[in-house]
């Protein structure tokens, strides 16, 4: 039994872009690594059938792009680029055909409508503003993750603000803030994953190397704290970043 999957990469050294690789389950090996799209810094991607939505950079421009998988290659359909660094994350909304991006450097969350042919149209953008954490890396808001809750709201992790913001999303791709969950100062909120029951989320702090367990209230779209767990020993003093 073989299984193919895609890998997004940084391209500052030897990598050339987006790759496919085959997992051979019988031999427990990764095989047949091949470049499917030459691209600058496609660091994160979402595959939906034969479509791929990926972070895109072109020199001093950054944004998102859509690709079509065909005959072992990924063909560019559309890209939306703007001045500055590319996003850190892309999330896809199958029901509403929306693409979300979180831009670490700009502190922005951007929404795009995905047409049936894969082309992209921006529908909204919010810029995080407010007090940031005490760590050197928290010099400004840094949106790092933007993806759906089980009830189809949008949860955004902001590493700079130690914050999870939940947005209501309209069918035409407009965001309205529903709630804000504030972690401890210096937590460095980076990423979250929901439990299959849809009522609990696990939030990872990059700068603190801690994991928070949160209860999710679908009626209000809000989080409440249950538990905080360290991922490193209490006497650890060297640098560590949780991802």
């Amino acid at each position: 039994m073989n299984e193919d999957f895609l890998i997004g990469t940084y391209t500052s050294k030897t990598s050339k872009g987006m790759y496919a690789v085959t997992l051979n389950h019988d031999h427990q090996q990764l095989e047949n690594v091949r470049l499917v799209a030459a691209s600058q810094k496609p660091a994160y991607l979402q595959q939906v059938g034969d479509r791929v939505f990926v972070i895109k950079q072109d020199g001093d421009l950054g944004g998102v792009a859509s690709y079509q998988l065909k005959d072992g290659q990924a063909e560019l359909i559309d890209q939306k680029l703007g001045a500055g660094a590319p996003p850190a994350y892309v999330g896809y909304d199958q029901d509403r055909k929306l693409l979300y991006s979180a831009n670490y450097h700009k502190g922005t969350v951007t929404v795009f409508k995905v047409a049936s042919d894969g082309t992209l149209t921006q529908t909204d953008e919010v810029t995080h503003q407010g007090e940031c954490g005490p760590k050197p890396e928290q010099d400004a808001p840094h949106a790092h993750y933007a993806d759906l809750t089980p009830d189809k709201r949008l949860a955004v992790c902001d590493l700079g603000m130690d914050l999870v913001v939940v947005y209501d999303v309209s069918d035409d791709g407009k965001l309205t803030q529903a709630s804000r969950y504030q972690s401890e100062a210096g937590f460095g909120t980076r990423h979250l994953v929901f439990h299959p029951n849809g009522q609990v989320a696990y939030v990872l702090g990059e700068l603190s190397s801690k994991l928070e367990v949160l209860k999710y209230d679908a009626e209000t779209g809000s989080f409440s704290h249950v538990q905080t767990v360290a991922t490193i020993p209490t006497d650890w003093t060297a640098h560590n970043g949780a991802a």
Side-chain angles (χ1 to χ4, degrees):
M1 176 182 172
N2 292 335
E3 179 182 1
D4 291 335
F5 61 92
L6 298 175
I7 300 174
T9 70
Y10 287 96
T11 52
S12 56
K13 295 183 180 179
T14 59
S15 174
K16 301 300 182 183
M18 180 166 52
Y19 290 80
V21 64
T22 300
L23 172 61
N24 185 321
H25 286 271
D26 295 332
H27 296 98
Q28 298 184 10
Q29 290 181 337
L30 297 175
E31 303 172 343
N32 191 24
V33 179
R34 61 267 187 203
L35 181 68
V36 297
S39 180
Q40 185 180 359
K41 199 179 179 181
Y44 200 91
L45 59 84
Q46 295 272 6
Q47 181 178 352
V48 184
D50 59 1
R51 291 268 171 82
V52 186
F53 303 98
V54 61
I55 291 167
K56 180 80 171 177
Q57 184 173 356
D58 185 0
D60 294 331
L61 302 178
V64 297
S66 56
Y67 287 83
Q68 180 77 35
L69 294 175
K70 184 178 180 181
D71 298 328
Q73 294 293 303
E75 300 177 357
L76 180 66
I77 299 173
D78 195 12
Q79 60 184 18
K80 290 292 179 282
L81 306 178
Y89 188 93
V90 289
Y92 184 68
D93 185 336
Q94 178 69 41
D95 292 342
R96 289 175 290 221
K97 302 297 186 292
L98 298 173
L99 184 71
Y100 308 103
S101 72
N103 194 301
Y104 176 92
H105 296 277
K106 299 179 180 180
T108 55
V109 181
T110 310
V111 188
F112 301 89
K113 192 74 174 181
V114 182
S116 58
D117 62 357
T119 55
L120 308 171
T121 302
Q122 182 176 324
T123 61
D124 204 1
E125 184 172 83
V126 296
T127 301
H128 285 183
Q129 296 178 325
E131 184 177 352
C132 294
K135 300 289 183 67
E137 299 91 340
Q138 298 178 302
D139 57 324
H142 292 306
H144 205 296
Y145 166 96
D147 219 327
L148 295 177
T149 64
D151 59 340
K152 307 303 181 182
R153 291 182 171 99
L154 184 71
V156 178
C157 293
D158 193 304
L159 183 146
M161 301 178 73
D162 300 316
L163 194 66
V164 178
V165 186
V166 179
Y167 293 96
D168 291 322
V169 185
S170 67
D171 289 341
D172 59 352
K174 300 296 183 182
L175 301 179
T176 304
Q177 184 174 294
S179 70
R180 293 160 66 98
Y181 172 79
Q182 189 72 55
S183 297
E184 64 182 68
F187 185 78
T189 311
R190 177 184 173 114
H191 198 88
L192 71 81
V193 173
F194 271 87
H195 188 280
N197 67 17
Q199 300 174 16
V200 175
Y202 306 97
V203 181
L204 190 63
E206 175 179 330
L207 306 181
S208 63
S209 295
K210 292 180 180 179
L211 184 72
E212 284 190 326
V213 182
L214 306 182
K215 182 179 180 181
Y216 181 65
D217 184 342
E219 184 174 342
T220 61
S222 60
F223 289 105
S224 57
H225 182 265
V226 176
Q227 183 185 20
T228 300
V229 181
T231 67
I232 54 176
T234 56
D235 59 353
W236 185 266
T237 58
H239 173 76
N240 188 80

